[in-house]
Amino acid sequence: MELDIKPAKKTVDGDSKYAPNLYLEPPLSGSINVDEAEDLFRQRLEAMAVLKDFRINSQVPLNSVLMSIKSSAYSANCVSLYPTGEQRKLDNISHFLARIYFAMHPELWDSYKYFEKRLLKYRLGELNCFSADKLAAFLQSFNFDFELMPRAEYDEIKKTYLFWNHKSGQAASTISESIFKVNFEHALMFVAKRSVAVKDGFALLSTEDIRSVICDAFEQHLDKALRWAAQTLSLNSKVQNLYSNLDLVYKEFEEEQQEKKRLTKMEESSQKSPFSINMFNIDRISRDHYPPCMRHLHESLRKENHLRHHGRLYLGTFMRSAGVTEQEAIEFWREEFTKKIPNDKFERDYKYNIRHLYGKEGHRKALSSFSCEKIINNNAPGPADNHGCPFKHFDETHLVSLLKNHNIADADIEYIKDAKQRKTYTEACCEYFKSTRGVKPEEMRNPAQFYHLSARLEHDKVNNVYVKDEIDQLAESMEE
Ligand code: SF4
């Protein structure tokens, strides 16, 4: 039998008094623009990805991982476990945006429901720090007909009833500090498993059991809501316009996720790479295996003993993806920067950022090499910058001079100039690769891909491996 969840009672300021939102009412007033809506939807997708990957035994608490999802439009995080009134409002909007989007995709309902249920479970878990009375009040505010057992009755049944420890699957030696009396039909999942005590037609559930019941009720509610939305909203033209915008956000997000997976694979394979980059071989490796964008940054750093923000970010993340360890990276940057600034300034202003890239500071999420698409299309370099894709951001004279300097044959330079004119910058990069390495990749998606292909080629040549097979295999793994 389904639980009939009703909207929460309101406090004076119109906000729900208790943290977890069961999303029973859509936002009924106010307005947001399209950019804000897209941003909130994206935050929810990011939270979905975080929860999907989150491991219970992770050293970083889920709350800080979720809080690291930053939005350009809002400083608040709409999926916080401890939301303020404003965050709760944004959370509600982002939930309903996601609900509209996923309603049109029945094939994604299971993963969407799983995410919302899991998020609720974590939020309810936070209620552990509330007293049993507060949990009871929360349940009543949503019309859950669960009664907190009075103390005297609790003491009495403790002597008589056998309770169950769900984790061990054994009769529990101690029972939960609080027991809720729940209508028998709402606890069928426990009855079916024969893991519940029953008294006078009521199932006796612990606070942990109660969380499961609420989450299941919420999932059923969400399932019905998705079915309703799928039938009714698809006919509404305003919703269709909104859906089209959300669809672009979803596809872009999915593409980024795929790219991350490809990079992770490459990074894993780099652990086995014969080229572990260190302070002694890094100049040779950068000359022989870095793509032109990163080689230019490396050489600029050596020459000027400094790189501006985006240069540090692009080269730093690339080096991490190429397998440079955190310690080696710190020493590498220190060696150059301290030619111009004192070591304590380096320690204070720059070391933190390097550790941040390696996931050792801040939100503790390591960053991978930026994709070609991002380097080409975002953060165009200014006159004092060295970052960017040479095939796009260098003028022709400057590009030709770089290519000659890298010993590119004249015919290939003409091809690359032509590709630049056609704005097919990554194709120009593939031609550059062929001109210097003799094999042309089908596409170039990321500077780290360039590095790994190049390093693998040299390794295989040295070891007389049949190179063509290796290239095909790597290309295939990147296609996945
Ligand atoms: Fe670097 Fe990519 Fe441009 Fe090649 S195409 S130079 S790898 S940004």
Short mmCIF file of all heavy atoms in Angstrom, two decimals, residues 128-160:
data_model
loop_
_atom_site.label_atom_id
_atom_site.label_comp_id
_atom_site.label_asym_id
_atom_site.label_seq_id
_atom_site.Cartn_x
_atom_site.Cartn_y
_atom_site.Cartn_z
N ASN A 128 19.87 12.24 11.79
CA ASN A 128 20.32 11.47 12.95
C ASN A 128 20.74 12.38 14.08
O ASN A 128 20.70 12.00 15.24
CB ASN A 128 21.52 10.59 12.56
CG ASN A 128 21.03 9.24 12.11
OD1 ASN A 128 19.88 8.91 12.35
ND2 ASN A 128 21.89 8.49 11.49
N CYS A 129 21.22 13.58 13.70
CA CYS A 129 21.67 14.47 14.76
C CYS A 129 20.47 15.17 15.41
O CYS A 129 20.63 15.90 16.37
CB CYS A 129 22.69 15.48 14.24
SG CYS A 129 22.07 16.45 12.90
N PHE A 130 19.26 14.95 14.89
CA PHE A 130 18.07 15.49 15.53
C PHE A 130 17.59 14.51 16.59
O PHE A 130 17.86 13.32 16.53
CB PHE A 130 16.93 15.66 14.52
CG PHE A 130 17.13 16.80 13.56
CD1 PHE A 130 16.19 17.06 12.59
CD2 PHE A 130 18.24 17.62 13.64
CE1 PHE A 130 16.36 18.10 11.71
CE2 PHE A 130 18.42 18.66 12.76
CZ PHE A 130 17.47 18.90 11.79
N SER A 131 16.83 15.02 17.49
CA SER A 131 16.23 14.12 18.47
C SER A 131 15.11 13.34 17.79
O SER A 131 14.63 13.71 16.71
CB SER A 131 15.65 14.95 19.61
OG SER A 131 14.57 15.72 19.10
N ALA A 132 14.68 12.24 18.44
CA ALA A 132 13.59 11.44 17.89
C ALA A 132 12.33 12.30 17.76
O ALA A 132 11.54 12.14 16.82
CB ALA A 132 13.32 10.25 18.80
N ASP A 133 12.15 13.25 18.70
CA ASP A 133 10.96 14.12 18.63
C ASP A 133 10.97 14.95 17.35
O ASP A 133 9.96 15.14 16.71
CB ASP A 133 10.93 15.07 19.84
CG ASP A 133 10.56 14.30 21.10
OD1 ASP A 133 10.00 13.20 20.96
OD2 ASP A 133 10.86 14.79 22.19
N LYS A 134 12.16 15.44 16.99
CA LYS A 134 12.24 16.26 15.78
C LYS A 134 11.98 15.42 14.53
O LYS A 134 11.35 15.88 13.58
CB LYS A 134 13.60 16.95 15.68
CG LYS A 134 13.68 18.16 16.55
CD LYS A 134 14.80 19.07 16.11
CE LYS A 134 14.75 20.34 16.93
NZ LYS A 134 15.96 21.13 16.81
N LEU A 135 12.51 14.18 14.57
CA LEU A 135 12.25 13.31 13.42
C LEU A 135 10.74 13.03 13.32
O LEU A 135 10.17 13.06 12.23
CB LEU A 135 13.02 11.99 13.58
CG LEU A 135 12.81 10.95 12.49
CD1 LEU A 135 13.16 11.52 11.11
CD2 LEU A 135 13.64 9.70 12.75
N ALA A 136 10.12 12.82 14.47
CA ALA A 136 8.67 12.57 14.47
C ALA A 136 7.93 13.79 13.90
O ALA A 136 6.98 13.65 13.13
CB ALA A 136 8.20 12.26 15.89
N ALA A 137 8.40 15.00 14.29
CA ALA A 137 7.74 16.21 13.79
C ALA A 137 7.92 16.33 12.27
O ALA A 137 7.00 16.73 11.55
CB ALA A 137 8.33 17.43 14.49
N PHE A 138 9.13 15.97 11.82
CA PHE A 138 9.38 16.00 10.37
C PHE A 138 8.40 15.07 9.65
O PHE A 138 7.79 15.42 8.63
CB PHE A 138 10.82 15.56 10.09
CG PHE A 138 11.10 15.26 8.65
CD1 PHE A 138 11.27 16.28 7.74
CD2 PHE A 138 11.16 13.95 8.19
CE1 PHE A 138 11.50 16.01 6.39
CE2 PHE A 138 11.38 13.67 6.85
CZ PHE A 138 11.56 14.71 5.96
N LEU A 139 8.24 13.86 10.20
CA LEU A 139 7.35 12.89 9.56
C LEU A 139 5.91 13.40 9.53
O LEU A 139 5.22 13.30 8.51
CB LEU A 139 7.42 11.55 10.31
CG LEU A 139 8.78 10.85 10.24
CD1 LEU A 139 8.87 9.73 11.25
CD2 LEU A 139 9.01 10.33 8.83
N GLN A 140 5.49 13.97 10.63
CA GLN A 140 4.11 14.48 10.67
C GLN A 140 3.92 15.62 9.70
O GLN A 140 2.86 15.76 9.09
CB GLN A 140 3.77 14.95 12.08
CG GLN A 140 3.28 13.79 12.93
CD GLN A 140 3.16 14.16 14.38
OE1 GLN A 140 3.18 15.34 14.74
NE2 GLN A 140 3.07 13.16 15.22
N SER A 141 4.96 16.46 9.52
CA SER A 141 4.81 17.60 8.62
C SER A 141 4.53 17.13 7.20
O SER A 141 3.98 17.86 6.39
CB SER A 141 6.05 18.49 8.68
OG SER A 141 7.09 17.92 7.91
N PHE A 142 4.94 15.92 6.88
CA PHE A 142 4.66 15.38 5.55
C PHE A 142 3.52 14.36 5.58
O PHE A 142 3.36 13.57 4.66
CB PHE A 142 5.92 14.73 4.96
CG PHE A 142 6.88 15.75 4.43
CD1 PHE A 142 8.01 16.09 5.15
CD2 PHE A 142 6.64 16.39 3.23
CE1 PHE A 142 8.89 17.04 4.68
CE2 PHE A 142 7.53 17.34 2.74
CZ PHE A 142 8.65 17.67 3.47
N ASN A 143 2.78 14.38 6.65
CA ASN A 143 1.60 13.53 6.74
C ASN A 143 1.92 12.05 6.85
O ASN A 143 1.09 11.21 6.53
CB ASN A 143 0.70 13.76 5.51
CG ASN A 143 -0.74 13.44 5.80
OD1 ASN A 143 -1.20 13.69 6.91
ND2 ASN A 143 -1.44 12.85 4.85
N PHE A 144 3.13 11.73 7.25
CA PHE A 144 3.44 10.32 7.49
C PHE A 144 2.80 9.93 8.83
O PHE A 144 3.06 10.59 9.85
CB PHE A 144 4.95 10.09 7.59
CG PHE A 144 5.66 10.11 6.28
CD1 PHE A 144 6.37 11.22 5.86
CD2 PHE A 144 5.60 9.01 5.43
CE1 PHE A 144 7.02 11.23 4.64
CE2 PHE A 144 6.26 9.01 4.21
CZ PHE A 144 6.97 10.13 3.81
N ASP A 145 2.04 8.87 8.78
CA ASP A 145 1.26 8.51 9.95
C ASP A 145 2.07 7.57 10.85
O ASP A 145 1.68 6.44 11.10
CB ASP A 145 -0.03 7.83 9.43
CG ASP A 145 -0.95 7.51 10.56
OD1 ASP A 145 -0.77 8.08 11.64
OD2 ASP A 145 -1.84 6.67 10.34
N PHE A 146 3.25 8.02 11.29
CA PHE A 146 4.11 7.18 12.11
C PHE A 146 4.16 7.77 13.52
O PHE A 146 4.45 8.95 13.70
CB PHE A 146 5.54 7.14 11.57
CG PHE A 146 5.67 6.66 10.15
CD1 PHE A 146 6.82 6.93 9.43
CD2 PHE A 146 4.66 5.93 9.53
CE1 PHE A 146 6.96 6.50 8.13
CE2 PHE A 146 4.80 5.50 8.22
CZ PHE A 146 5.94 5.79 7.52
N GLU A 147 3.99 6.92 14.49
CA GLU A 147 3.92 7.44 15.85
C GLU A 147 5.17 7.04 16.64
O GLU A 147 5.58 5.86 16.63
CB GLU A 147 2.67 6.86 16.54
CG GLU A 147 2.41 7.43 17.91
CD GLU A 147 1.41 6.57 18.69
OE1 GLU A 147 0.64 5.82 18.05
OE2 GLU A 147 1.44 6.62 19.92
N LEU A 148 5.77 8.03 17.26
CA LEU A 148 6.94 7.73 18.11
C LEU A 148 6.44 7.05 19.38
O LEU A 148 5.55 7.55 20.07
CB LEU A 148 7.67 9.04 18.46
CG LEU A 148 8.89 8.91 19.35
CD1 LEU A 148 9.98 8.06 18.69
CD2 LEU A 148 9.44 10.29 19.69
N MET A 149 7.00 5.90 19.66
CA MET A 149 6.51 5.13 20.82
C MET A 149 6.83 5.84 22.14
O MET A 149 7.98 6.25 22.36
CB MET A 149 7.17 3.74 20.81
CG MET A 149 6.66 2.83 21.88
SD MET A 149 7.46 1.24 21.73
CE MET A 149 6.45 0.47 20.51
N PRO A 150 5.83 5.99 23.00
CA PRO A 150 6.10 6.63 24.29
C PRO A 150 7.15 5.84 25.08
O PRO A 150 7.27 4.62 24.92
CB PRO A 150 4.74 6.60 25.00
CG PRO A 150 3.74 6.35 23.93
CD PRO A 150 4.43 5.60 22.84
N ARG A 151 7.87 6.56 25.94
CA ARG A 151 9.01 5.96 26.66
C ARG A 151 8.61 4.72 27.49
O ARG A 151 9.29 3.71 27.45
CB ARG A 151 9.61 7.03 27.59
CG ARG A 151 11.01 6.72 28.03
CD ARG A 151 11.98 6.91 26.86
NE ARG A 151 13.04 5.90 26.93
CZ ARG A 151 13.94 5.72 25.98
NH1 ARG A 151 13.89 6.42 24.88
NH2 ARG A 151 14.86 4.80 26.11
N ALA A 152 7.48 4.82 28.19
CA ALA A 152 7.07 3.72 29.06
C ALA A 152 6.82 2.46 28.23
O ALA A 152 7.28 1.35 28.58
CB ALA A 152 5.81 4.10 29.84
N GLU A 153 6.13 2.65 27.13
CA GLU A 153 5.83 1.50 26.26
C GLU A 153 7.12 0.93 25.68
O GLU A 153 7.31 -0.28 25.58
CB GLU A 153 4.88 1.94 25.15
CG GLU A 153 4.26 0.78 24.40
CD GLU A 153 3.31 1.24 23.29
OE1 GLU A 153 2.95 2.42 23.23
OE2 GLU A 153 2.96 0.39 22.46
N TYR A 154 8.00 1.84 25.33
CA TYR A 154 9.31 1.43 24.77
C TYR A 154 10.05 0.55 25.77
O TYR A 154 10.57 -0.52 25.43
CB TYR A 154 10.12 2.69 24.44
CG TYR A 154 11.55 2.44 24.02
CD1 TYR A 154 11.89 2.24 22.70
CD2 TYR A 154 12.59 2.42 24.97
CE1 TYR A 154 13.20 2.03 22.31
CE2 TYR A 154 13.90 2.21 24.60
CZ TYR A 154 14.21 2.01 23.25
OH TYR A 154 15.51 1.79 22.89
N ASP A 155 10.11 1.00 27.02
CA ASP A 155 10.82 0.22 28.05
C ASP A 155 10.20 -1.15 28.23
O ASP A 155 10.90 -2.14 28.45
CB ASP A 155 10.81 0.99 29.39
CG ASP A 155 11.69 2.23 29.31
OD1 ASP A 155 12.58 2.25 28.43
OD2 ASP A 155 11.47 3.17 30.09
N GLU A 156 8.88 -1.20 28.10
CA GLU A 156 8.16 -2.45 28.29
C GLU A 156 8.49 -3.44 27.17
O GLU A 156 8.86 -4.60 27.42
CB GLU A 156 6.65 -2.14 28.33
CG GLU A 156 5.77 -3.30 28.76
CD GLU A 156 6.20 -3.91 30.09
OE1 GLU A 156 6.64 -3.17 31.02
OE2 GLU A 156 6.15 -5.14 30.18
N ILE A 157 8.37 -2.97 25.91
CA ILE A 157 8.54 -3.92 24.80
C ILE A 157 10.00 -4.36 24.66
O ILE A 157 10.29 -5.40 24.10
CB ILE A 157 8.05 -3.36 23.45
CG1 ILE A 157 8.87 -2.14 23.06
CG2 ILE A 157 6.59 -3.11 23.41
CD1 ILE A 157 9.32 -2.25 21.66
N LYS A 158 10.90 -3.53 25.14
CA LYS A 158 12.32 -3.88 25.09
C LYS A 158 12.56 -5.25 25.74
O LYS A 158 13.40 -6.04 25.29
CB LYS A 158 13.10 -2.83 25.88
CG LYS A 158 14.31 -2.29 25.17
CD LYS A 158 14.82 -1.10 25.93
CE LYS A 158 16.25 -1.32 26.32
NZ LYS A 158 16.84 -0.21 27.02
N LYS A 159 11.76 -5.52 26.78
CA LYS A 159 11.96 -6.78 27.51
C LYS A 159 11.41 -7.96 26.72
O LYS A 159 11.88 -9.07 26.82
CB LYS A 159 11.23 -6.71 28.85
CG LYS A 159 11.74 -5.64 29.78
CD LYS A 159 10.87 -5.64 31.04
CE LYS A 159 10.94 -4.29 31.75
NZ LYS A 159 9.74 -3.99 32.50
N THR A 160 10.36 -7.72 25.93
CA THR A 160 9.59 -8.80 25.36
C THR A 160 9.94 -9.14 23.91
O THR A 160 9.92 -10.29 23.51
CB THR A 160 8.09 -8.40 25.38
OG1 THR A 160 7.85 -7.64 26.54
CG2 THR A 160 7.19 -9.61 25.31
#
